[in-house]
Amino acid sequence: MEIINKILLNGQFSILKNYITANNFPWFYKTDYFSHIFYQAHAPKSDGFNCIIPLLDELKVNALMDASVLLLPSTYGTFGIELESNSKAALIFLYSCNGYVLHKEEKEACEENKGMLFNEKNKYTIFSQTDVKKNIMLVLNYY
């Protein structure tokens, strides 16, 4: 796991955060959490896809598999993700909170504009927060 604090420049991060946290942002309810898909099945799925392009450039993404944003309410519990191929994954947090990510027994705090990069087939678990009502993170899978 690689950690990048301030993964985006402040202006780029503000644009992304303001877009995703706007009152008219389209969230879709899943089982106990909300999501929004930016990219899936080799094509953009959201009008907001352009907002994540600076992040894709920063990560030097060659091929994007999928990109979505998750909103986990404080009552959620845990959210597990497992990489099924030799792809890479990135988590980018929009807020700081007391939630955390557990990966290979390493515990890493959820902090605003922090990127967590994973590059091996493995599982990581996101533990929900108790100090704020929601934790919002961007999740990318790419090569």
Side-chain angles (χ1 to χ4, degrees), residues 7-142:
I7 193 162
L8 287 173
L9 298 173
N10 287 336
Q12 293 171 331
F13 180 75
S14 293
I15 290 168
L16 179 64
K17 182 177 178 178
N18 290 340
Y19 178 75
I20 292 171
T21 60
N23 288 336
N24 61 347
F25 186 76
W27 289 104
F28 300 93
Y29 184 71
K30 304 281 185 176
T31 305
D32 299 330
Y33 69 95
F34 297 86
S35 72
H36 177 92
I37 297 171
F38 283 107
Y39 188 92
Q40 190 177 58
H42 309 291
K45 302 294 182 185
S46 170
D47 292 339
F49 177 74
N50 289 340
C51 287
I52 67 169
I53 289 176
L55 182 59
L56 302 178
D57 292 341
E58 180 67 30
L59 295 172
K60 297 175 178 53
V61 172
N62 292 319
L64 186 61
M65 294 168 49
D66 56 73
S68 59
V69 63
L70 304 176
L71 185 155
L72 302 180
S74 60
T75 57
Y76 189 75
T78 61
F79 188 88
I81 300 173
E82 185 169 356
L83 297 178
E84 296 184 13
S85 66
N86 292 323
S87 66
K88 297 178 181 180
L91 296 176
I92 295 84
F93 295 94
L94 299 189
Y95 292 105
S96 293
C97 66
N98 68 359
Y100 62 93
V101 175
L102 187 64
H103 175 69
K104 290 186 174 179
E105 299 183 26
E106 287 183 61
K107 184 177 172 181
E108 191 64 41
C110 300
E111 296 173 354
E112 182 175 272
N113 201 9
K114 177 190 272 186
M116 295 180 189
L117 310 181
F118 306 89
N119 63 359
E120 71 274 352
K121 184 177 177 179
N122 214 315
K123 183 177 180 177
Y124 55 95
T125 304
I126 302 163
F127 288 79
S128 67
Q129 69 291 346
T130 58
D131 60 334
V132 293
K133 291 183 179 182
K134 61 187 175 202
N135 188 4
I136 299 176
M137 69 208 67
L138 191 61
V139 180
L140 305 174
N141 289 312
Y142 62 97

